[in-house]
Amino acid sequence: MTNYPKFAVIGGGSWATAIAKMLCANLPEIAWYMRNEDAIEHIKTEHHNPNYLSSVEFHVEKLKLTNDINEAVAYADYIIFSIPSAFLSSELAKMTESLENKIVFSAIKGIVPETSLIVGEHFNKIYNIPFENIGVITGPCHAEEVALERLSYLTIACGDAEKARL
């Protein structure tokens, strides 16, 4: 599995928790950024997110938990953003690590208020990420159903079909 690209999840809410759970089930390790240091410490000791989907347990040895967005971005080849669109710009403002040569997936609904762009367009226009390196994760299901493997269907799309498949 050492040939697999590295993944990071940005966000600490229910969708981020569900996505982190799915990735942990399929990868040896992922980075997971969340602002809340208390939540990180709780996950390390109790193996679940105290604030969202608390019935979902994690193998913490597979998690590189951090409250430093730069650490998660530096670690990963694929970065999955799962934070409310209203807070995307303020979280991205903390970044000193470049998104150049990264694959960015958005699990974010809505537009970025500061630019009035949908998230993919925001990453393309503001961070110069080519559209073939931008994807989306969406679906008609609840985060808890996904995390507990009671899957409805997810849609994962990217201009580069291989990146979406991966």
Side-chain angles (χ1 to χ4, degrees):
M1 289 187 103
T2 57
N3 294 333
Y4 278 71
K6 294 179 179 176
F7 286 77
V9 176
I10 308 297
S14 59
W15 236 153
T17 302
I19 291 167
K21 176 63 175 174
M22 285 188 297
L23 291 172
C24 280
N26 293 288
L27 296 169
E29 182 180 73
I30 68 163
W32 188 4
Y33 162 78
M34 59 179 69
R35 295 177 305 163
N36 187 330
E37 243 181 286
D38 291 335
I40 290 171
E41 290 307 312
H42 186 92
I43 292 168
K44 286 178 180 177
T45 60
E46 303 299 324
H47 302 221
H48 66 95
N49 188 334
N51 302 311
Y52 300 93
L53 307 181
S54 59
S55 62
V56 174
E57 290 194 25
F58 285 93
H59 295 284
V60 293
E61 69 279 359
K62 291 184 160 197
L63 296 174
K64 288 182 65 69
L65 292 159
T66 181
N67 69 339
D68 180 351
I69 194 169
N70 292 295
E71 187 178 330
V73 170
Y75 168 87
D77 304 303
Y78 280 69
I79 304 165
I80 301 169
F81 287 87
S82 182
I83 57 179
S85 61
F87 302 111
L88 182 63
S89 289
S90 62
E91 288 302 309
L92 292 173
K94 299 174 185 177
M95 281 187 350
T96 55
E97 283 290 327
S98 174
L99 290 174
E100 186 178 353
N101 300 318
K102 304 288 184 177
I103 313 302
V104 173
F105 273 77
S106 168
I108 300 172
K109 294 183 248 178
I111 62 166
V112 180
E114 293 80 0
T115 59
S116 297
L117 297 170
I118 61 172
V119 176
E121 289 175 336
H122 182 82
F123 279 115
N124 174 259
K125 291 192 185 322
I126 305 303
Y127 293 92
N128 299 313
I129 299 173
F131 281 118
E132 63 268 13
N133 287 347
I134 299 172
V136 296
I137 299 173
T138 186
C141 49
H142 295 281
E144 186 173 30
E145 291 173 330
V146 172
L148 295 174
E149 299 177 12
R150 296 182 197 134
L151 294 178
S152 298
Y153 291 97
L154 290 178
T155 299
I156 301 172
C158 182
D160 181 331
E162 179 59 19
K163 290 172 183 158
R165 185 200 62 76
L166 217 150

